[in-house]
Structure formats: structure tokens, C-alpha cells
Amino acid sequence: MSDTPETPEGPVAIVGTTAGTVSVEDLTEALMDVVDPELGIDVVNLGLIYGIHIDEDDTATVDMTLTSAACPLTDVIEDQAKSATDGLVKDLRINWVWMPPWGPDKITDDGREQLRALGFNV
């Protein structure tokens, strides 16, 4: 994905395509169970999901980034994502992307509230 659209509020909007029986919205909701181990907030509200594409055989490809390209937790997050979507899609593939780079501006309003509750100043 070359350009990631922004909503008027600022955070990145998840764009996607659905060809199978599972919707992008259903998969997005399932991915809210995937929590960044360092921040304790789900990857959707952190703005780490840039795109979701579901093909006709319910194989999903998620364009995802991390707060840092040097993050050592890609395996943990990938395992959580596969567990969270098990039974919802036939297979889940994560396409790690680094452009555009993640920044705090991509956090949703809900994510900001959650971070504030944990003591972060965002």
C-alpha cells in the first residue's frame, strides 16, 4: 500500500477489500484483541493497522506497522493476531510495512483515552 488515507481527525483509517465471507469490520474487531506488549493498547487503536485485504477463500492479508522498525516483538504480535482471528479467516498473513512511518498522530481517540488511563501524556 503506497498511500494511507487519513481521517479528518488525523488517525489513519483502515482501508480494505472483502472478497470472501468475512468482512473487514469483523476482522478489525477481532484484531482489537491483539495488544502491543509494551504499551498495553490494542494494535487497531494504536493505528498500527494500515490495511486489510480478504480474498475469496477467506485468506486475510493485514498491512501492519509497529511503533518502531527495530521492535523485537513482531513474532509475539503476529502470534496474537493469528490466535485472535483463528476460526474467522482461513489464514492470516501480516505484511509488515514501514511507510508511512507510524507516529502518535495515528492513535485513535479511544487509544488516546486508554493511554491516558495508563498514565501516558498523549
Side-chain angles (χ1 to χ4, degrees), residues 30-91:
L31 290 170
M32 287 183 166
D33 289 338
V34 179
V35 175
D36 180 287
E38 293 179 317
L39 296 175
I41 305 299
D42 69 87
V43 296
V44 173
N45 282 303
L46 278 176
L48 299 177
I49 309 273
Y50 287 175
I52 295 174
H53 308 280
I54 305 167
D55 65 19
E56 50 281 335
D57 74 346
D58 286 336
T59 295
T61 301
V62 176
D63 295 328
M64 183 185 292
T65 195
L66 296 170
T67 56
S68 164
C71 179
L73 300 170
T74 55
D75 291 342
V76 172
I77 292 173
E78 196 162 340
D79 288 346
Q80 280 188 43
K82 287 183 186 252
S83 292
T85 59
D86 186 39
L88 188 61
V89 292
K90 178 181 169 187
D91 189 25

